Amino acid sequence: MDTPGLVVHGEAAPFSTALRSLINNCLYSDVRFVVGQERQEVFAHRCLLACRCNFFQRLLSQEPGPGVPSPVVLSTVPAEAFLAVLEFLYTNSVKLHRHSVAVTFGLGPLQECCIAFIETHSQEALRTRGFLELSAPALLFMLRSDKLGVDEAELVLAVRNWACVSAAVLERPVAEVAAPVVQELRLALLAPAELSALEEQNQQEPLIPVEQIVEAWKCHALRRGDAAQGAVCRRRRGTLPREHHRFLDLPLK
């Protein structure tokens, strides 16, 4: 029977520091990215990205041809967010800042860290350019959180601003761009006067399906029962109290 070998663990800090020095370093780099509207050039290493992230594994699966390979263009990804992702991939850690919202490329642990950061700094995050550049799936994931420290009225306004920016970039109607995410807005948390104002604005500038606003009115009309249950009536951490909230069956967790 073979005797198990001795496992020797080196210090983590020097290893992390060495890998951090390779972030956006042209030394031994074999792939270039052009990211953001500013078209910033970023250097990286194919093998490391591919083994750490399924997104990059699929993106970089084709071997580059002879000569200098063309850069991978990611024009919709902010450079700051992209570099934060690289930092996490290279070192398994990243320092997030209030003025940035990271793109996670399906990295579960990083996505969870980003959402936790946004939950803590919700109001600051909503005012960043990074928020306006979020993809629809990323925004949808964020809006499902009960721990956002912001009131629903502010979220509705932030989502409208996001949809207007995205619609201009994609050259599509605002309501069409917003359709995947507005379903997570908890309109029943708004007071009747707020809901009326939203309904009037929505008639002039369509954003939210009429059926969704009708369901919110049902919660107000019935107050208790099936219409006042579920996520659409569940208060978030930052929800401001309103008189009708006492009729909601599900308290803030």
Side-chain angles (χ1 to χ4, degrees):
M1 182 176 180
D2 294 337
T3 303
L6 177 65
V7 178
V8 178
H9 295 280
E11 294 185 21
F15 179 76
S16 177
T17 300
L19 285 177
R20 191 182 303 276
S21 70
L22 294 177
I23 299 173
N24 197 18
N25 189 335
C26 61
L27 182 65
Y28 307 124
S29 169
D30 55 0
V31 61
R32 289 182 301 134
F33 294 89
V34 174
V35 297
Q37 297 179 356
E38 297 82 5
R39 297 184 61 82
Q40 179 176 334
E41 189 175 45
V42 177
F43 297 93
H45 305 82
R46 298 170 66 93
C47 63
L48 196 151
L49 299 186
C51 74
R52 287 278 286 149
C53 177
N54 290 334
F55 171 84
F56 287 111
Q57 186 179 64
R58 294 191 298 270
L59 183 68
L60 304 174
S61 59
Q62 186 174 356
E63 289 294 327
V68 179
S70 300
V72 178
V73 179
L74 299 174
S75 58
T76 60
V77 179
E80 183 180 25
F82 186 75
L83 288 170
V85 171
L86 289 191
E87 182 180 355
F88 182 81
L89 292 177
Y90 278 69
T91 68
N92 212 37
S93 65
V94 62
K95 183 177 181 180
L96 299 177
H97 301 277
R98 296 189 182 192
H99 56 275
S100 66
V101 179
V103 178
T104 62
F105 296 112
L107 293 168
L110 180 57
Q111 188 175 58
E112 292 171 5
C113 291
C114 289
I115 292 299
F117 182 85
I118 291 172
E119 289 170 342
T120 304
H121 306 286
S122 301
Q123 293 191 354
E124 297 97 321
L126 293 184
R127 300 188 186 101
T128 64
R129 173 180 169 181
F131 173 80
L132 297 176
E133 295 174 337
L134 281 175
S135 66
L139 180 55
L140 184 64
F141 191 84
M142 171 184 164
L143 291 176
R144 287 174 176 162
S145 171
D146 293 340
K147 298 179 182 179
L148 292 176
V150 63
D151 186 64
E152 209 66 24
E154 291 185 65
L155 272 181
V156 172
L157 178 60
V159 169
R160 179 176 290 279
N161 292 338
W162 170 87
C164 289
V165 171
S166 298
V169 172
L170 300 174
E171 298 183 344
R172 291 163 52 193
V174 171
E176 180 182 323
V177 171
V181 301
V182 293
Q183 59 185 311
E184 295 299 330
L185 291 173
R186 305 176 185 183
L187 303 184
L189 297 177
L190 301 177
E194 294 173 306
L195 194 54
S196 294
L198 175 63
E199 188 172 25
E200 183 177 346
Q201 183 183 16
N202 200 65
Q203 291 174 351
Q204 301 173 1
E205 303 171 350
L207 174 74
I208 301 169
V210 174
E211 297 79 8
Q212 187 174 345
I213 298 178
V214 169
E215 287 301 315
W217 279 119
K218 283 184 181 180
C219 290
H220 284 277
L222 301 178
R223 293 195 172 184
R224 287 191 177 276
D226 293 341
Q229 296 179 0
V232 294
C233 292
R234 190 164 59 242
R235 283 163 277 182
R236 305 181 197 269
R237 181 174 63 86
T239 300
L240 298 177
R242 294 166 174 82
E243 192 277 336
H244 74 285
H245 288 178
R246 62 193 177 95
F247 297 105
L248 301 182
D249 290 337
L250 296 178
L252 171 67
K253 295 182 178 180

